Amino acid sequence: MKGPLFYAKILLFGEYGIIKDSKGLAIPFNTYRGALKSSKNLRGKAKVSNGNLERFYEYLASLKTDIVSFNLKEFKTDIDNGMYFDSSIPQGYGVGSSGALVASIYDKYAIDKITVLENLTRDKLLKLKQIFSLMESFFHGKSSGLDPLNSYLSLPILINSKENIEPAGIPSQKEGKGAVFLLDSEQIGETEPMVNIFMNKMKNEGFRKMISEDFATTTDACIEDFLHGNVKSLFGNVKLLSKLVLKNFKPMIPAAFHKVWENGIATNDYYLKLCGSGGGGYILGFTEDYEKAQKSLKDYKLELVYRF
């Protein structure tokens, strides 16, 4: 048995803002992927994954919902026969490792599933997001459902608000100097503690005002610029966003990267922002000159995501 591939995702813009109903833009990242496989002789990671699937099966079997049902008998038989999720997606890195797993389980075991090939109306997209939110909550406590949605559809997704999401066309990559890249913090981040810090900060009126005004406005401007290929304007807005995040989301930025973050803003060699919830994993970088950014960040591991 070998299931279809499901890819990692990158939330280019909108981390934390989408919790509070502002815009977001997520894209598939096919450097990392996962698929369901089975083996008679489970060892190491495959054995751990099989155990996780067993717990996930129990969670799905206990769900009291009428929006989705699964072929649980087949799922259980496959687990007993050595099924595991074979994935190259790093866990705790903000690129949707649990999202790809959820997408693969829905794809294989959901009854009357919504397929990628049908006409994906807004209602169908919202229903999928709702189902995925319910499924992925097993991993994160509370999930928006966007990671599995992105992985399942393998399309860029524009989040206008919680009730308004749509597939988005992004400009095709160019052979220019500019780039979006990932910077490896070489630390694992956990989603739940970071989201809890954010929720506590939201109790502060000043922080709430910053999120609903400055943060949302700047994020929206970045998304508009990116989708319309306004590269010059985009970098001005990404710099603003990088400053806002450094000032207001310090606990989500690993301490070792505070200076690196400041240096990018001061030199204009690159601008950093959170990738996912932060606290470790990847940090997302934007630069008008990738070679220059590589020199500035020569002590770190970088991965190219998109070229301008």
Side-chain angles (χ1 to χ4, degrees), residues 184-220:
D184 190 347
S185 74
E186 299 192 29
Q187 299 175 34
I188 289 189
E190 283 189 47
T191 302
E192 214 168 332
M194 294 296 121
V195 172
N196 289 342
I197 292 171
F198 175 77
M199 290 307 193
N200 280 328
K201 279 176 162 282
M202 285 298 285
K203 292 171 186 167
N204 175 302
E205 195 188 334
F207 187 82
R208 277 203 309 277
K209 192 166 185 286
M210 180 278 301
I211 288 288
S212 63
E213 292 174 11
D214 307 351
F215 189 74
T217 311
T218 311
T219 297
D220 290 359

Side-chain angles (χ1 to χ4, degrees), residues 6 46 53 55 117 131 148 171 187 192-193 213 276 282 289 293-294:
F6 290 93
L53 286 177
R55 284 187 289 281
L117 299 172
I131 290 167
Q187 299 175 34
E192 214 168 332
E213 292 174 11
Y282 287 120
D289 187 336
Q294 283 176 303

Side-chain angles (χ1 to χ4, degrees), residues 36-169:
L36 290 168
K37 291 185 183 173
S38 60
S39 166
K40 290 274 175 273
N41 188 9
L42 291 170
R43 289 199 297 268
K45 272 184 172 171
K47 196 174 166 105
V48 172
S49 172
N50 178 262
N52 286 337
L53 286 177
E54 177 79 48
R55 284 187 289 281
F56 191 35
Y57 158 79
E58 285 162 8
Y59 170 76
L60 294 181
S62 72
L63 281 179
K64 303 275 184 279
T65 178
D66 54 5
I67 62 163
V68 64
S69 56
F70 299 95
N71 189 335
L72 291 167
K73 196 174 163 199
E74 189 192 339
F75 188 15
K76 181 73 171 92
T77 302
D78 288 343
I79 293 167
D80 292 344
N81 288 334
M83 184 169 72
Y84 65 99
F85 189 60
D86 183 27
S87 170
S88 64
I89 307 168
Q91 291 186 353
Y93 262 63
V95 287
S97 55
S98 59
L101 168 58
V102 165
S104 69
I105 297 296
Y106 176 81
D107 180 63
K108 188 159 174 56
Y109 301 106
I111 295 164
D112 295 331
K113 70 179 181 185
I114 296 167
T115 72
V116 181
L117 299 172
E118 58 196 83
N119 178 21
L120 288 168
T121 59
R122 184 179 293 178
D123 284 349
K124 283 181 187 170
L125 284 173
L126 283 173
K127 187 176 178 188
L128 270 175
K129 182 175 174 285
Q130 203 183 350
I131 290 167
F132 289 145
S133 168
L134 197 62
M135 291 174 73
E136 203 186 27
S137 293
F138 169 74
F139 298 95
H140 292 316
K142 187 179 189 300
S143 160
S144 68
L146 283 165
D147 286 8
L149 184 65
N150 200 282
S151 195
Y152 185 63
L153 300 178
S154 209
L155 289 168
I157 293 171
L158 175 63
I159 303 112
N160 293 302
S161 68
K162 282 196 181 91
E163 298 305 313
N164 182 356
I165 52 176
E166 57 186 316

